[in-house]
Amino acid sequence: MTSKAIQRRPCSSETDKTSEKRMETTVSDPVTEPLLGNCVHEDKSKIYEPATQSDFWDGTRQECLRWAHLLSTFIAQSARKIVNVLSEFGSLIARLFGCSSATQGSQNGQTVPLNLSPLQVERLRLLRQRLDVPYDCSSVKHQDALKELWRLAYPNRQLPPLKSDLWKEMGWQNSDPSTDFRAGGFMSLENLIYFARNYPDSFHRLLHKAEGKRAEWEYPFAAGGVNISYMLVQMLDLQSGKMSTKAGVHFVQLLEDDEAAFDNLFCVAFQVLDAQWLARQASYMEFNEILKSTRVQLEKELTTGCISSVQDLPSFRMLKR
């Protein structure tokens, strides 16, 4: 009989001990292996960090500063554009307010500060330059101007020498006209030439004393013109450069549209003087008195109302071309 090996079946107690021993070798050591919670917390700390209250306000402040910078830039650019537009109309604004302010200053008996355009400043400068030029009898230019005046006054007569008694017929006080320019300078000769060229009818009527009842001793035409030029310079206060007279403040506004405002005013003044001369039936010894009354009338016309040109003066209507 064959013997059989009998296998011994392990008991449950041994099996439990073996399983327990195997489990003990697979359970992780809590000291040597990090916890999952700790690992996840460490990763989150690297990815996300909660914003504090101070960080929130820092971000808001930076955003506000950015918008404030954009707004200030826009305002600055807009302001520059507005200034450029206003500068284009500076001359027009000066003219609109210059007339009313000058009128108000006249009513108060005071002069006002001038707000002149660049064109007015330049024309006033050129006018003052003309004042500083004396008549020079050795200057060919001045000699030619005097000859031109003779040709305009007497187009059908032969030109006399620069020193001749024939010049007295025009109203020079001596045979040498250059001696009569002391007060008015070369500009007074230019005024007479302008009068002859632009208002020839009035020029010749006054030269030849063609109107009204004349005195036996009349005022000399040419020398009278030199005195009128000098009177206007004093009335407008052109030499001082301050424009401190009411008439001067109003006159300088006329330079904006009329480069020859002074020459035109000279023609009006000559016509006013002759009209007052006839009205008073004056004679030679009363010339200075008539010249003063002429100044008073011109000052009144310049400072009454809003005059934008010499042509707006009431006395301008007396001139004839």
Side-chain angles (χ1 to χ4, degrees), residues 32-89:
T32 59
E33 186 175 346
L35 298 175
L36 180 61
N38 290 339
C39 180
V40 173
H41 178 73
E42 182 178 352
D43 292 341
K44 285 186 177 181
S45 65
K46 295 180 181 179
I47 298 174
Y48 171 75
E49 183 177 353
T52 62
Q53 185 176 4
S54 61
D55 293 336
F56 172 77
W57 286 112
D58 288 341
T60 304
R61 183 166 56 251
Q62 291 178 359
E63 185 69 13
C64 292
L65 290 175
R66 187 175 71 87
W67 280 104
H69 174 71
L70 293 175
L71 182 60
S72 62
T73 302
F74 172 76
I75 293 175
Q77 293 176 350
S78 301
R80 284 194 293 268
K81 291 180 180 179
I82 293 174
V83 170
N84 291 335
V85 171
L86 290 178
S87 63
E88 295 294 331
F89 295 95

Side-chain angles (χ1 to χ4, degrees), residues 8 21 36 66 77 80 83 93 98 112 121 128 171 189-190 202 209 216 228 244 247 255 257 260 288 306 308:
R8 183 174 176 268
K21 184 177 181 179
L36 180 61
R66 187 175 71 87
Q77 293 176 350
R80 284 194 293 268
V83 170
I93 294 174
V112 295
V121 171
R128 286 172 177 160
L189 177 56
E190 292 179 317
S202 291
K209 305 293 194 293
E216 293 183 4
I228 291 174
S244 59
L255 294 175
D257 296 323
N288 287 334
C306 187
S308 60

